[in-house]
């Protein structure tokens, strides 16, 4: 397409979207201020409660590892929904990715496992694209069917390939529920910097040691797949927002009729987006299998659904998805590493945030939401004051509680693509 043709697409679509995009987009200074504010709050909370693990390098190293599969699932959902296809099947595509990674990984190593995970997820994406784009099946029904199908297929194939009596996989340590162990993917650290940051962290200086602990967790023992995931986030931004291909793809999610009138092959772009979506979710599943050195039944643990929530929280933009994945990864790492005492300290932080939200809503004249936020904040302070820990069941549910809380607080600034999930037939605008 010519530059004039691409400009016509932008002109036809941008007029109706500019106000919403301006309202939903976070500028770089605002993002930096949010990060700085979060660090100050965590540092203060650590000083008040003595929960040193809140900003430890181990906590943030675990958070980074937990955030990658969630972020990749969210990024996959972003690709599909920017083209107008709702992808509820991210969880199933992650399952296919974990299985394919485990199947190929024990035979050929972790890098082949990562590639196999991408292919497995992409196959799930292709099935979803055929159902929703070609046959116009309801997107939610198709996604749920893929999740159910992927669960059944992976369990059946695991029994047949990994647990078959006398098979090579069984002799190598596989069984009905898991694959044989694969080789470890090497990690890397920045020489010198990690040791220096760790020495500062041990002093427990206010904010300085906290920042050192966070940075140490992000530069020590980092998986190479984490670097690949970071590059995919950057690449997604430039492909979807800085290229003619991305403009056409997003036009399919905003107004496919308008895009078709300008010569865009809407079906082709929807297919490409959903297949890429599945491939990224599959890579997220492969990351889980490579991290534990094997495929295990139930390994995804609902991360595909959390990835979908991350995409919504991130307002269908890569930067927002990355921030949301980091938040959910932090909560996941917290409940795995620290348990009740540290999660108990977070009650005070959530209470402070809700109190601030109550004041903001009151300033806006919205008394009912302000009262509700204030009451919940007071209840959390009372809970913190009267207890020393929280029940184990609540600790295990922390990532999911965080998902619901974040979505409820961010719902008003969200704007999904206008044609997301809507049926489309070629030539329907004529």
């Amino acid at each position: 397409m010519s530059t004039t043709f691409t400009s016509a697409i932008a002109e036809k679509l941008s007029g109706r979207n500019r106000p919403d995009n301006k309202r939903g987009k976070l500028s770089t200074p605002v993002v930096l201020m949010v990060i700085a504010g979060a660090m100050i709050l965590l540092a203060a909370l650590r000083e008040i409660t003595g929960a040193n693990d809140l900003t430890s390098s181990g906590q943030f190293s675990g958070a980074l590892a937990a955030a990658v599969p969630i972020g990749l699932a969210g990024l996959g959902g972003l690709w599909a929904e920017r083209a107008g296809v709702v992808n509820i099947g991210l969880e199933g595509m992650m399952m296919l990715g974990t299985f394919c990674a485990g199947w190929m990984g024990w035979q050929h190593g972790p890098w082949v496992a990562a590639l196999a995970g991408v292919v497995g997820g992409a196959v799930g994406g292709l099935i979803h694209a055929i159902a929703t784009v070609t046959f116009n099946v309801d997107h939610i029904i198709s996604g749920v069917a893929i999740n159910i199908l992927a669960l059944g297929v992976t369990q059946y194939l695991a029994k047949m390939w990994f647990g078959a009596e006398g098979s090579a996989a069984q002799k190598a340590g596989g069984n009905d529920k898991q694959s044989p162990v694969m080789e470890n993917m090497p990690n890397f650290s920045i020489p010198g910097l990690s040791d220096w940051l760790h020495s500062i962290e041990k002093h427990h200086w206010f904010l300085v040691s906290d920042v050192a602990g966070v940075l140490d967790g992000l530069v020590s023992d980092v998986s190479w797949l984490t670097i690949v995931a970071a590059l995919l986030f950057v690449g997604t931004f430039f492909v979807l927002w800085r290229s003619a291909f991305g403009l056409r793809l997003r036009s399919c999610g905003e107004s496919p009729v308008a895009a078709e009138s300008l010569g865009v092959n809407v079906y082709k772009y929807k297919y490409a987006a959903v297949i890429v979506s599945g491939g990224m979710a599959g890579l997220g599943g492969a990351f889980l299998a490579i991290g534990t050195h094997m495929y295990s039944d139930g390994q995804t643990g609902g991360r595909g659904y959390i990835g979908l929530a991350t995409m919504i929280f991130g307002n269908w933009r890569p930067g927002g998805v990355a921030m949301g994945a980091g938040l959910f990864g932090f909560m996941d790492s917290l409940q795995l590493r620290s348990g009740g005492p540290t999660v108990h300290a977070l009650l005070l932080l959530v209470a402070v945030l809700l109190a601030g939200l109550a004041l903001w809503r009151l300033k806006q004249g919205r008394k009912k939401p302000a009262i509700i936020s204030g009451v919940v904040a007071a209840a959390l302070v009372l809970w913190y004051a009267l207890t020393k820990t929280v029940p184990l069941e609540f600790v295990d549910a922390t990532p999911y509680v965080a998902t619901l809380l974040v979505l409820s607080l961010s719902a008003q600034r969200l704007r999904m693509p206008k044609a997301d999930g809507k049926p489309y037939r070629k030539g329907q605008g004529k």
Side-chain angles (χ1 to χ4, degrees):
M1 290 185 183
S2 66
T3 303
T4 304
F5 189 75
T6 303
S7 300
I9 299 177
E11 182 179 354
K12 194 161 187 175
L13 296 175
S14 62
R16 71 187 70 177
N17 297 328
R18 190 177 294 114
D20 288 334
N21 286 340
K22 185 176 181 180
R23 180 183 64 186
K25 184 178 179 181
L26 293 176
S27 62
T28 301
V30 172
V31 171
L32 294 176
M33 288 178 63
V34 170
I35 294 173
M39 280 305 310
I40 293 172
L41 283 175
L42 285 175
L45 188 66
R46 180 186 62 78
E47 287 285 338
I48 294 170
T49 64
N52 291 326
D53 209 33
L54 274 173
T55 57
S56 69
S57 56
Q59 162 65 22
F60 278 85
S61 179
L64 183 63
V68 170
I70 295 173
L72 286 171
L75 197 63
L78 183 150
W79 271 83
E81 299 209 8
R82 278 293 177 178
V85 179
V86 175
N87 193 355
I88 299 292
L90 291 169
E91 177 76 5
M93 295 169 197
M94 288 190 78
M95 290 180 193
L96 294 173
T98 58
F99 177 82
C100 291
W103 173 40
M104 297 299 291
W106 75 275
Q107 303 175 78
H108 304 290
W111 285 109
V112 175
L115 181 60
V118 173
V119 174
V123 169
L126 177 61
I127 295 171
H128 189 49
I130 292 173
T132 57
V133 179
T134 301
F135 293 103
N136 221 14
V137 174
D138 182 270
H139 299 192
I140 305 299
I141 293 175
S142 174
V144 172
I146 286 174
N147 291 336
I148 297 172
L149 180 65
L151 177 62
V153 166
T154 53
Q155 289 180 341
Y156 172 74
L157 291 179
K159 291 179 181 179
M160 187 171 68
W161 292 351
F162 301 147
E165 189 70 30
S167 66
Q170 189 189 54
K171 293 177 181 178
N175 57 51
D176 290 353
K177 299 293 184 180
Q178 66 183 44
S179 68
V181 175
M182 72 177 77
E183 295 177 8
N184 184 38
M185 176 174 283
N187 298 332
F188 77 95
S189 301
I190 300 179
L193 180 59
S194 178
D195 294 336
W196 177 64
L197 290 172
H198 188 64
S199 66
I200 296 175
E201 178 192 355
K202 290 190 295 184
H203 290 289
H204 298 303
W205 295 326
F206 176 74
L207 192 59
V208 176
S209 293
D210 299 293
V211 172
V214 172
L215 294 177
D216 188 23
L218 300 181
V219 300
S220 302
D221 295 325
V222 179
S223 168
W224 287 103
L225 275 184
T226 301
I227 304 300
V228 172
L231 293 175
L232 285 174
F233 272 89
V234 175
T236 292
F237 172 76
F238 281 100
V239 170
L240 293 186
W241 274 270
R242 293 292 185 270
S243 73
F245 171 85
L247 177 62
R248 296 174 207 137
L249 187 146
R250 287 187 294 118
S251 73
C252 297
E254 294 292 344
S255 179
V257 174
E260 183 188 352
S261 70
L262 294 170
V264 175
N265 188 332
V266 176
Y267 281 5
K268 181 179 75 174
Y269 281 93
K270 284 181 179 287
Y271 261 89
V274 180
I275 291 172
V276 170
S277 173
M280 288 192 175
L283 181 60
F287 184 91
L288 293 172
I290 293 169
T292 57
H293 308 113
M294 66 180 72
Y295 155 80
S296 300
D297 186 29
Q299 195 166 31
T300 56
R303 288 176 177 85
Y305 300 115
I306 298 179
L308 190 66
T310 299
M311 176 204 67
I312 297 171
F313 163 77
N315 211 9
W316 291 266
R317 297 186 69 89
V321 173
M323 290 179 64
L327 173 62
F328 298 132
F330 176 83
M331 299 304 297
D332 198 14
S333 176
L334 199 65
Q335 61 98 6
L336 289 174
R337 281 179 49 84
S338 307
T342 307
V343 175
H344 178 255
L346 281 182
L347 295 176
L348 195 59
L349 176 62
V350 175
V352 171
L353 295 176
L354 286 175
L357 179 64
L359 293 175
W360 181 48
R361 293 288 172 86
L362 192 62
K363 184 179 178 181
Q364 292 179 323
R366 304 177 61 188
K367 294 183 179 180
K368 186 175 179 180
I371 293 173
I372 293 174
S373 299
V375 170
V376 174
L380 290 176
V381 170
L382 188 63
W383 186 2
Y384 175 81
L386 297 178
T387 59
K388 292 184 178 180
T389 187
V390 296
L392 180 61
E393 293 78 9
F394 184 81
V395 174
D396 293 338
T398 299
Y400 309 102
V401 173
T403 303
L404 294 173
L405 182 62
V406 167
L407 287 178
S408 64
L409 295 178
S410 62
Q412 293 184 354
R413 69 173 184 84
L414 303 178
R415 193 200 74 81
M416 65 190 298
K418 291 189 175 181
D420 193 17
K422 295 181 180 178
Y424 166 78
R425 275 280 168 246
K426 187 175 181 179
Q428 71 180 36
K430 296 180 181 179

